[in-house]
Amino acid sequence: MLMDISSEMIHALLPVYLVTVLGASTLTVGFIEGIAEATASITKIFSGALSDWLGRRKLLAALGYGLAAFTKPLFPLAPSAGWLVAARFIDRVGKGIRGAPRDALIADLAPPGLRGASFGLRQSLDTIGAFVGPLAAIGLMWSTADNFTAVFWVAIVPGFLSFGLIALAVNEPTPDASREPAKNPLNLAAMRQLGAVYWRVVAVGVVFTLARFSEAFLILRAQSIGLNAMWVPAVLVLMNITYALSAYPAGVLSDRINRTGLLAFGLVLLAAADLALALLPSLAGLSLGVALWGLHMGLTQGLFSALVADAAPPSLRGTAFGYFNLFTGLAMLAASIIAGALWDAYGPAGTFLAGLGFALVSLAGLLAIGSGITAPAATSEG
């Protein structure tokens, strides 16, 4: 939560800062956002596999949080877009290092019958930080007369608090003596051991991500309808409130009913969000689209984590989360670059109508696969 407060204080303003202060194009914004998220995802495969090989999770998670914290001062000091690209890149490497080991640790701790609820709760707490951050950015922009650099300096504080908390206050449970650490989690045998159900989950996750580009374009949509720079972070506040309120109930519900149905409903909500953002260029249309976007995130993101945990063998969970994030991160890179190019060529409506098309194609694919992405808890414990 603390790291999300720190990151979102910066990310809520960064697209507008790049375009209005540094003169970057929206294609550049899409490229930066896509590269940032793809970097995090590529790093996760190695950190996840290393956590399986070591049989330990906390060290890598703390390293990732520390790297992100120590990178934060680069944002207020950056004199050009190139420096911001470097800062965003290093920050996302930190996210990549901590992501898969942290998720594998949650999967190790959570009882199989409560995995949906566990990941939903984690997603909700993350998202609370993600809307507190933009709220703080709004207050600071108001009190400093739109001083972007001052906001970036304040954002450093919760980042270092986050690192201190995991380093000093989080205790890793004793490893299961009967579980052998994976000898080489990245070889072909290990990939086959992950199983067909797991790889179907990965495929569905990739198509989902192609339908959902970076939230930076929600911020740019707010700017395009004339929202004042001070209020632009309210876009992420609204999105993350609906995200936080829906993620935990969705996780609890997914432990009781078929998770595929919830994912399909999430895609319907994404399609509706794209439609509103494309065709309703007003404050009301923006609010509706952003709220639906957040609700779609709440219904899908924690569920994917639970599906990965269900399908993967316990000794390969770090690797499983790493592969999942690698492939979905590459899809995010493609989606964000496509979105930026469409925006430059056809404007906001072109970008969001293309997102609508991808969402509908994804929904058709998900319905065709049906229950092929769910695995009994007993199987996942192997």
Side-chain angles (χ1 to χ4, degrees):
M1 185 183 73
L2 288 167
M3 186 57 74
D4 273 341
I5 291 173
S6 175
S7 295
E8 294 302 333
M9 285 179 69
I10 294 172
H11 300 164
L13 296 172
L14 195 58
V16 176
Y17 182 69
L18 282 164
V19 172
T20 62
V21 178
L22 298 182
S25 68
T26 50
L27 177 58
T28 300
V29 173
F31 181 78
I32 290 173
E33 290 299 313
I35 283 289
E37 296 306 322
T39 298
S41 300
I42 292 169
T43 309
K44 284 177 183 177
I45 179 61
F46 297 106
S47 65
L50 185 57
S51 76
D52 287 335
W53 182 72
L54 293 172
R56 310 289 294 185
R57 316 290 191 192
K58 177 187 168 178
L59 175 62
L60 290 169
L63 177 62
Y65 280 106
L67 186 59
F70 282 94
T71 301
K72 289 296 189 287
L74 291 178
F75 287 95
L77 294 173
S80 66
W83 278 89
L84 286 175
V85 171
R88 192 88 162 92
F89 178 84
I90 298 171
D91 176 70
R92 296 297 88 178
V93 169
K95 179 180 179 180
I97 290 174
R98 70 182 183 257
R102 180 202 61 197
D103 287 342
L105 181 59
I106 293 171
D108 289 346
L109 289 168
L114 293 175
R115 285 208 186 107
S118 300
F119 281 104
L121 179 61
R122 191 267 295 168
Q123 206 74 57
S124 287
L125 292 174
D126 279 355
T127 311
I128 288 171
F131 70 74
V132 170
L135 275 176
I138 291 172
L140 288 166
M141 287 288 281
W142 174 78
S143 63
T144 63
D146 293 349
N147 188 329
F148 289 89
T149 304
V151 178
F152 293 165
W153 277 117
V154 175
I156 294 170
V157 177
F160 277 95
L161 290 175
S162 173
F163 171 61
L165 189 62
I166 191 167
L168 302 175
V170 174
N171 296 315
E172 185 168 14
T174 303
D176 184 351
S178 65
R179 184 186 303 174
E180 294 267 344
K183 294 180 180 178
N184 185 2
L186 295 181
N187 63 18
L188 289 176
M191 294 179 73
R192 286 193 294 268
Q193 190 180 347
L194 288 169
V197 172
Y198 167 77
W199 288 111
R200 282 195 289 270
V201 172
V202 172
V204 172
V206 166
V207 179
F208 256 68
T209 306
L210 285 172
R212 178 186 64 81
F213 37 79
S214 169
E215 284 79 27
F217 291 94
L218 302 181
I219 296 171
L220 292 174
R221 185 52 165 156
Q223 185 194 31
S224 75
I225 67 169
L227 199 64
N228 185 278
M230 184 187 80
W231 293 106
V232 164
V235 169
L236 293 185
V237 174
L238 176 58
M239 188 203 79
N240 285 307
I241 285 175
T242 57
Y243 189 174
L245 291 176
S246 58
Y248 179 60
V252 172
L253 186 60
S254 77
D255 289 327
R256 301 174 183 174
I257 67 171
N258 189 295
R259 287 172 179 160
T260 307
L262 282 178
L263 289 174
F265 184 51
L267 270 176
V268 171
L269 292 174
L270 176 59
D274 283 322
L275 196 62
L277 291 164
L279 302 183
L280 301 174
S282 63
L283 184 58
L286 175 72
S287 299
L288 175 62
V290 169
L292 289 171
W293 192 287
L295 190 58
H296 137 263
M297 294 284 285
L299 289 178
T300 60
Q301 299 309 293
L303 268 66
F304 272 118
S305 295
L307 286 167
V308 169
D310 286 346
S315 63
L316 289 173
R317 278 190 184 133
T319 305
F321 279 106
Y323 277 127
F324 180 81
N325 287 289
L326 168 64
F327 290 113
T328 56
L330 293 174
M332 176 62 77
L333 170 60
S336 295
I337 292 175
I338 291 169
L342 288 170
W343 191 294
D344 284 342
Y346 304 106
T351 294
F352 289 107
L353 287 175
L356 169 64
F358 276 120
L360 294 177
V361 170
S362 302
L363 179 61
L366 178 63
L367 294 177
I369 292 176
S371 60
I373 60 170
T374 58
T379 301
S380 70
E381 294 305 312

